[in-house]
Amino acid sequence: MLKNHGQISYGWLILLCLALLLLGCSSKSPLEDGPKPLVSAAPSLPFSPQPFYYPSGKESFAKIAAKHKINEGALRRFNPRSQQNVPPHNQRLRIPQRNRDAPKVGPYYYTIQSGDTFSNLAQHFHLALISLLQANPKVKPKQLRIGQRVVIPMSNRNKNHYRWPVDQPQIKINFSWQRWGLHQGLALATKNRQEVFPIAAGQVIFAGEVRSFGKVVIVKHNNKQQSVYAYCHALFVEQDSYLSGHHPVCSAGKQRQIDKHGIYFELREAGLPVPPENYLPALPWPK
């Protein structure tokens, strides 16, 4: 009897497994919905993202902000390179979902739209791509999904009152990984012997020759950051002198990295290089 009972129980077990298998096949597989959105450090939203906004060319930032029921300041912070009070019609704007998505101190939170990449987001917000990747370690850049939330590691650019070291700067190589390794600063093309200014007031802690960088000036600022100006043609300051920020430190020489007139600019904090474009004023979109 025990033997027959075991055979009957075993048969029922097979039938039960078959039933469960058929039930699983008839139900909708989670794979049919496609891959799940990747998790990021940004908070989720209970509503759908807004599309890009294309201004008419006649609307001011204030009117566009009122139209979308957000603060003008938040809209401007979300579009730092659109610096005209009336954005032209060919400058596509990104609209924050809420005012707190673009706080004055940062970071910002952005909802991925169709066609977005980390590269064009870095260009739009004028920050280093490396910083964007580091701020979203769980996000795979090649698998961005519409509606996904990401962190834009932007802080208040104006808190240090920095200026660009040259007028109308042309960035040829930014803070980025290159085939030779990390390019720790900016390669800027300039006019021949163009005046180079310190980004802010400070003390000259070095002015002289450095192997492979030619004539170099290093300025220490009040916030303990240091700015470096290399490939200079001529130096206009001496070591230990104090600068107001209005006097040029050197004239631009030959930028060897790009084989053009220009300088190499670097920003350091606690002895380590940081992306200069995260701290300097956002440059306007080229016309």
Side-chain angles (χ1 to χ4, degrees), residues 20 30 33 53 56 68 118 136 142 150 155 167 196 247:
L20 290 174
D33 292 329
Y53 184 74
S56 65
H68 290 88
F118 267 12
N136 298 275
K142 294 184 179 180
V150 296
S155 58
D167 293 331
V196 180
H247 186 280

Side-chain angles (χ1 to χ4, degrees), residues 174-274:
N174 57 11
F175 188 97
S176 58
W177 285 103
Q178 301 292 327
R179 64 180 182 275
W180 62 82
L182 178 64
H183 189 261
Q184 300 179 346
L186 303 176
L188 302 176
T190 68
K191 298 176 182 178
N192 185 23
R193 302 186 185 183
Q194 183 174 342
E195 290 184 330
V196 180
F197 289 83
I199 59 173
Q203 182 183 12
V204 178
I205 60 174
F206 181 83
E209 294 270 352
V210 175
R211 184 179 178 182
S212 301
F213 286 93
K215 293 182 174 66
V216 176
V217 176
I218 303 177
V219 180
K220 183 179 179 180
H221 304 285
N222 295 333
N223 58 3
K224 298 183 179 180
Q225 286 188 334
Q226 298 176 359
S227 55
V228 181
Y229 314 81
Y231 297 123
C232 298
H233 175 264
L235 304 184
F236 300 152
V237 295
E238 296 180 350
Q239 188 167 325
D240 298 327
S241 59
Y242 288 87
L243 307 177
S244 65
H246 303 294
H247 186 280
V249 295
C250 69
S251 59
K254 187 70 172 293
Q255 226 289 8
R256 298 177 187 174
Q257 297 168 315
I258 57 176
D259 196 29
K260 293 179 181 293
H261 299 298
I263 62 163
Y264 170 75
F265 175 77
E266 190 174 298
L267 191 62
R268 288 183 166 264
E269 188 173 82
L272 298 175
V274 294

